[in-house]
Amino acid sequence: MPTRLDELTEQRIQKIAAIRAKGVDPFPAHFHRTHTNQDAVTLLEQAEKATPLQDVTVTVAGRIVANRGMGKLSFLDLRDGTGKMQVLCRKTDPCYELVELLDLGDFVGIQGKLFRTRSGEPTIEARELTILTKAILPLPEKWHGLVDVEVRYRQRYLDLVSNPDIQKLFRNRSKTIASIRETLNKRGYLEVETPVLQPIAGGASARPFITHHNALDADFYLRIALELHLKRLIVGGMDKVYELGRIFRNEGIDTKHNPEFTMLESYEAYADYYDMMELVENLVSSAALAVNGNTETEFEGHKINLAAPWKRLDLREAVKEHAGIDIMDYPDQVSLYNRMVELKIDADPRRPWGKLVDDLISAYVEPHLIQPTFLVDYPVAMSPLAKKKPGNDQFVERFEAFIGKLEVANAFSELNDPIDQRARFEEQIKEKDAEGPSALDEDFLVAIEHGMPPTGGLGVGIDRIVMLLTGQPSIREVILFPQMREKGQ
């Protein structure tokens, strides 16, 4: 038995035939508009200020999102990427015969005179109407309020049509990225691109996606970080480089994680992690100004000030204060695990020592990091790519930045001692952590054996920055096409 959707679809297909019968192409190849909807409104405002009052004719185009018949008149609402424009069609006009064949969701072009109705609504009195696209499927019945989360994410195009605020959100995402690029470019950084397919998954501890190259008959990994290739460029004499790119990690999906996400990584020769603190403060506060007009944002009920300087907090002291454990009193996996069990702290006996410390941070420290905070000076075991602190071989010059309980950045004074670097990689592999590397990246080690200058490196999670600046609690809200389970799973 045909469904209501089937009936509506069939009616629209019949209208396509009726349009063609009039000698009109419902899917023409060309149309030229003179103004966007917003430009047309601006033009009308300018004309209204002129003496004498000027008549202004424009040609606009957009999707029909409302159609209101009022006796001998019909009012259409057209929406384009800049906003909505009302169109007046009179039954006495020759183009009106096409109006009766239109439906919500169709695209049309309108040429006519601008005026303002008695209620003050900017309007175009249609003189010519051109059908640009006849939509076969209808928009959601409540096009202005699509709320089904599954539909919104799976059919993002309907979300963008139905919820105008979503378009604004992604424009703000674009503003965020543009601001970050502008800040780095002004500082003399060079934007570069590095491989997505890599023979070894390195630069971070994460489970990779694996693919196969047929011509080479070899497995490759989708990159889990940008770091190791960017450092090769530092070795090559490119003193300031950055990349904004997609990262792929074969891990869980939740409000903070998506299997593919956008990361900024930047590297600067002759800099250290203190320089990176100043850089990330500047990047985030400048992006806030670009998006919100000030350095304040509201996230999950908290008012957050992103202006520099941000708070610095020692990692060891923070864990001691909030979890009740001095991690250096338990320097191996067994002793730390046993102590966590004694304190009834959830712990996985298969996790290496560094991962257990990370679990303590996530569970006991992060919930307190609402205002922008740098958690500084990490144990060596947690940071195989960072330089040791002078006079203290147990810790490295590393920080993670937190805002609104979210980790948003990670930075090091980069390790440039190739002998120490090799030893740490080997130790990391011995731990046999499923999320760690399975082989040495010999090419990277050879690169730094040629000499890498002192370097500050920074990684920033772009999606999480956008979440914070736009007040979105889920990463899926700020990714146009988030990863979804297959229907029925």
Side-chain angles (χ1 to χ4, degrees), residues 124-161:
I124 299 176
E125 183 176 356
R127 295 174 182 169
E128 295 182 14
L129 184 151
T130 305
I131 297 176
L132 302 179
T133 298
K134 182 66 185 169
I136 294 177
L137 289 176
L139 298 175
E141 289 187 12
K142 296 182 179 180
W143 68 268
H144 49 77
L146 182 65
V147 295
D148 187 304
V149 172
E150 284 288 312
V151 174
R152 287 183 54 235
Y153 295 159
R154 289 186 188 280
Q155 296 176 279
R156 182 66 89 177
Y157 50 90
L158 290 181
D159 192 22
L160 293 168
V161 171

Side-chain angles (χ1 to χ4, degrees), residues 150-434:
E150 284 288 312
V151 174
R152 287 183 54 235
Y153 295 159
R154 289 186 188 280
Q155 296 176 279
R156 182 66 89 177
Y157 50 90
L158 290 181
D159 192 22
L160 293 168
V161 171
S162 304
N163 301 319
D165 286 345
I166 298 300
Q167 283 204 24
K168 180 180 177 182
L169 189 157
F170 284 101
R171 290 181 189 279
N172 283 335
R173 179 187 175 102
S174 182
K175 287 181 181 179
T176 300
I177 294 172
S179 172
I180 288 171
R181 278 197 166 98
E182 182 181 11
T183 299
L184 290 167
N185 292 343
K186 284 182 177 178
R187 288 174 171 239
Y189 281 81
L190 179 69
E191 184 172 9
V192 298
E193 295 171 302
T194 62
V196 172
L197 293 178
Q198 300 182 356
I200 295 174
S205 292
R207 189 186 301 273
F209 286 94
I210 303 174
T211 188
H212 188 77
H213 191 293
N214 290 331
L216 296 178
D217 191 22
D219 286 340
F220 282 80
Y221 301 92
L222 301 187
R223 63 188 179 189
I224 60 173
L226 308 171
E227 181 164 352
L228 301 185
H229 281 86
L230 291 176
K231 285 190 195 175
R232 288 167 167 86
L233 301 182
I234 295 292
V235 171
M238 301 174 74
D239 288 348
K240 291 184 177 182
V241 294
Y242 75 92
E243 182 171 6
L244 275 158
R246 289 298 244 193
I247 299 298
F248 307 87
R249 296 185 180 179
N250 195 357
E251 298 170 346
I253 301 175
D254 57 33
T255 58
K256 298 179 182 178
H257 300 89
N258 194 65
E260 57 175 310
F261 57 97
T262 303
M263 177 72 77
L264 161 74
E265 288 201 30
S266 66
Y267 292 85
E268 180 177 347
Y270 317 110
D272 59 20
Y273 78 146
Y274 293 108
D275 298 303
M276 297 302 101
M277 290 183 202
E278 185 274 331
L279 176 59
V280 73
E281 287 173 339
N282 194 277
L283 287 171
V284 175
S285 60
S286 296
L289 285 170
V291 172
N292 297 326
N294 56 59
T295 58
E296 295 184 348
T297 189
E298 188 166 323
F299 184 72
E300 295 195 328
H302 299 286
K303 290 186 177 180
I304 298 172
N305 190 341
L306 301 170
W310 295 2
K311 182 179 179 181
R312 272 78 164 159
L313 186 63
D314 181 81
L315 178 146
R316 180 180 180 183
E317 294 301 319
V319 174
K320 187 189 300 184
E321 176 183 353
H322 296 294
I325 294 178
D326 185 338
I327 57 176
M328 301 319 294
D329 287 344
Y330 306 93
D332 58 79
Q333 194 274 346
V334 174
S335 65
L336 180 58
Y337 170 76
N338 288 337
R339 181 56 178 161
M340 292 172 70
V341 171
E342 288 174 5
L343 294 177
K344 295 182 171 53
I345 295 173
D346 187 37
D348 185 341
R350 297 167 296 180
R351 300 273 277 174
W353 185 87
K355 294 290 186 181
L356 292 177
V357 174
D358 201 36
D359 292 340
L360 290 172
I361 295 169
S362 298
Y364 294 94
V365 179
E366 288 182 20
H368 300 278
L369 306 181
I370 296 170
Q371 296 301 320
T373 303
F374 293 119
L375 196 60
V376 303
D377 299 344
Y378 278 57
V380 171
M382 298 178 69
S383 313
L385 293 162
K387 186 173 289 187
K388 292 176 182 176
K389 289 186 66 64
N392 189 340
D393 285 347
Q394 294 179 310
F395 291 88
V396 297
E397 293 192 342
R398 173 189 176 189
F399 72 77
E400 289 183 306
F402 293 87
I403 307 172
K405 307 177 188 178
L406 285 176
E407 178 201 340
V408 298
N410 185 25
F412 311 146
S413 296
E414 299 292 339
L415 179 59
N416 60 345
D417 178 343
I419 297 173
D420 189 5
Q421 182 66 88
R422 181 180 292 275
R424 292 204 218 169
F425 276 165
E426 290 174 346
E427 184 62 30
Q428 192 179 25
I429 291 171
K430 284 180 184 177
E431 289 182 343
K432 297 181 180 179
D433 179 11

